[in-house]
Amino acid sequence: MRYITFLFFLAIIACKPKTGEYANSNEFPISKSISGVRNPISDQINRSFEIITAEDKLIVSDKKDNHLFTVFDLTNNESTTHFGQIGQGPCEIEFPTSLQLIYSTDGTIELALFNRSRWIFQVLDFPTFDCISTPSKPLDFNFQKLVWVRDSLFFGIGIFPNKYAIFNQNESKATVLDIPYPFNDGNLNLSPNIAMNQQGDIFLKPDRSKILVTSNFSPFFDIIDAHDFKVIKRMEGWAPSVMDNENSNIISTSLKRDNKFGFISSSVTDEKIYLLYSGKNFDNNPYSSNKLHIYDWDGNRIEEIQLNIEVEQIAVSQDGKKIYTYHDDGKANIFQFDLE
């Protein structure tokens, strides 16, 4: 039996870059610059792996006291609680665990947790952070990232022959959708490495009608109907610049030194999509940027915003009035910017 190891590594070599144009500032109807201020929350965290906003709270993935997440009250910038106790028991999780906010029609919020080390799923109440479901049975281990769409149905990306798959908890394996990978030129015999070359963020629109999927390694996104899983809008900038994988037993991404990164962080509201655009290669710290590209949910360009600092993560408030960012310059920094 051949075992396949999932390995992510960045092999960097110099070569002639592939060219492609994406999003010059004059291609957006509006372009402006804004300045932010450092939030005192910064001094209460070690580092952030993920930030999200929920009502007047900021949730930071920052391991402390055997918990993976810290909650801050944005009205007074103080820590209120920790949740996500580390372990393998009931209502316990492991690193890495990703978060998804689930908005109900009555205005209430639930918090979905995806324990990616065991690919199990659990739901917490907001704002108590009490468990309101038992851990699910393991989801399909071929997934890399997914979102809970409705009932027992999940949608995600992973090591599949096509770009997307859905999974029903009542079934044993994922169903691959008939949506091809971008940049494939009609090639149906794709290496599994293409999935690793296109990792990024995935969000369910707060009203649950659409899904956003982005790529970190190149400027690409899909907007997908969350009911029939058809692509509404596909935006392809340029393909990732990658090397061939010489070891067939390893599924990996191997980026060339010239590769220009795409959307390194994302956030959404019911009205807009916010993408932190890099466009930089390994010579220029591609994991940070000051360029915020804003779209509507039909994929139309709305605005480009230049921040006064380069950041690594973004989280927009539900009302779209503020954006919170994270970057590490030897210490943790949470900044906040007024968008209106």
Side-chain angles (χ1 to χ4, degrees):
M1 179 178 180
R2 187 176 74 174
Y3 293 87
I4 296 179
T5 301
F6 291 85
L7 173 65
F8 173 82
F9 67 91
L10 299 176
I12 304 171
I13 64 171
C15 67
K16 183 177 179 180
K18 293 181 180 179
T19 59
E21 293 301 323
Y22 167 75
N24 293 323
S25 60
N26 60 7
E27 294 178 319
F28 281 82
I30 302 172
S31 181
K32 66 182 182 182
S33 300
I34 60 175
S35 295
V37 295
R38 189 174 186 266
N39 192 297
I41 288 172
S42 306
D43 299 321
Q44 302 175 59
I45 64 175
N46 295 317
R47 65 168 300 183
S48 168
F49 294 95
E50 179 182 16
I51 56 174
I52 63 173
T53 60
E55 296 182 346
D56 59 353
K57 304 292 191 294
L58 183 72
I59 302 173
V60 181
S61 177
D62 174 35
K63 179 181 175 182
K64 280 187 177 180
D65 301 325
N66 296 317
H67 291 82
L68 287 184
F69 301 99
T70 303
V71 182
F72 294 95
D73 187 332
L74 291 170
T75 63
N76 58 20
N77 299 322
E78 292 294 333
S79 171
T80 61
T81 190
H82 304 282
F83 72 93
Q85 183 170 338
I86 299 171
Q88 296 188 353
C91 205
E92 294 181 340
I93 59 177
E94 301 157 278
F95 180 86
T97 291
S98 57
L99 303 177
Q100 178 192 355
L101 292 181
I102 303 296
Y103 298 88
S104 300
T105 54
D106 62 2
T108 60
I109 299 175
E110 294 176 345
L111 194 63
L113 278 70
F114 294 93
N115 183 340
R116 292 162 62 185
S117 62
R118 288 185 288 157
W119 266 131
I120 58 175
F121 165 80
Q122 194 154 23
V123 181
L124 305 185
D125 177 62
F126 179 86
T128 67
F129 301 101
D130 295 330
C131 288
I132 57 176
S133 76
T134 58
S136 70
K137 68 178 183 180
L139 308 176
D140 192 312
F141 282 91
N142 286 311
F143 280 110
Q144 295 170 317
K145 285 188 178 181
L146 39 65
V147 289
W148 178 29
V149 180
R150 58 184 176 271
D151 302 323
S152 59
L153 189 64
F154 299 82
F155 172 97
I157 59 176
I159 312 300
F160 300 111
N162 280 337
K163 178 66 176 174
Y164 304 115
I166 56 175
F167 180 80
N168 192 308
Q169 282 188 282
N170 300 318
E171 300 176 356
S172 59
K173 61 184 296 185
T175 299
V176 179
L177 300 175
D178 187 23
I179 302 175
Y181 286 97
F183 317 117
N184 67 12
D185 298 324
N187 179 14
L188 300 179
N189 298 310
L190 298 172
S191 163
N193 296 308
I194 192 171
M196 300 299 290
N197 299 336
Q198 296 183 17
Q199 296 178 84
D201 292 330
I202 179 168
F203 286 93
L204 181 67
K205 190 172 185 279
D207 69 5
R208 301 193 184 195
S209 65
K210 298 177 181 179
I211 299 168
L212 170 73
V213 181
T214 70
S215 174
N216 299 148
F217 302 143
S218 68
F220 160 85
F221 66 72
D222 271 344
I223 298 172
I224 297 158
D225 189 297
H227 299 288
D228 60 13
F229 303 114
K230 302 296 185 182
V231 175
I232 298 170
K233 172 74 173 184
R234 169 163 285 188
M235 197 292 296
E236 294 177 297
W238 56 77
S241 180
V242 299
M243 294 184 295
D244 293 333
N245 181 12
E246 297 179 356
N247 189 336
S248 61
N249 291 323
I250 297 176
I251 299 178
S252 65
T253 187
S254 187
L255 299 174
K256 296 179 180 179
R257 188 173 186 84
D258 70 344
N259 182 71
K260 292 183 179 180
F261 279 55
F263 303 123
I264 53 178
S265 184
S266 311
S267 186
V268 302
T269 66
D270 250 334
E271 290 73 35
K272 297 176 183 178
I273 293 168
Y274 300 80
L275 305 175
L276 184 63
Y277 169 66
S278 170
K280 299 188 294 183
N281 61 28
F282 284 104
D283 292 327
N284 299 285
N285 187 12
Y287 296 104
S288 68
S289 176
N290 69 335
K291 295 179 180 179
L292 189 64
H293 288 176
I294 304 174
Y295 291 79
D296 64 24
W297 277 98
D298 292 320
N300 300 310
R301 300 178 190 218
I302 297 177
E303 185 176 17
E304 179 185 66
I305 294 177
Q306 293 196 26
L307 310 178
N308 67 315
I309 55 171
E310 294 207 343
V311 301
E312 300 162 17
Q313 300 166 20
I314 61 172
V316 178
S317 62
Q318 289 176 250
D319 59 11
K321 293 182 179 180
K322 292 184 181 293
I323 183 169
Y324 298 87
T325 68
Y326 172 80
H327 71 279
D328 191 323
D329 60 3
K331 61 182 178 182
N333 296 282
I334 298 287
F335 271 63
Q336 62 186 57
F337 298 79
D338 291 328
L339 292 175
E340 295 185 353

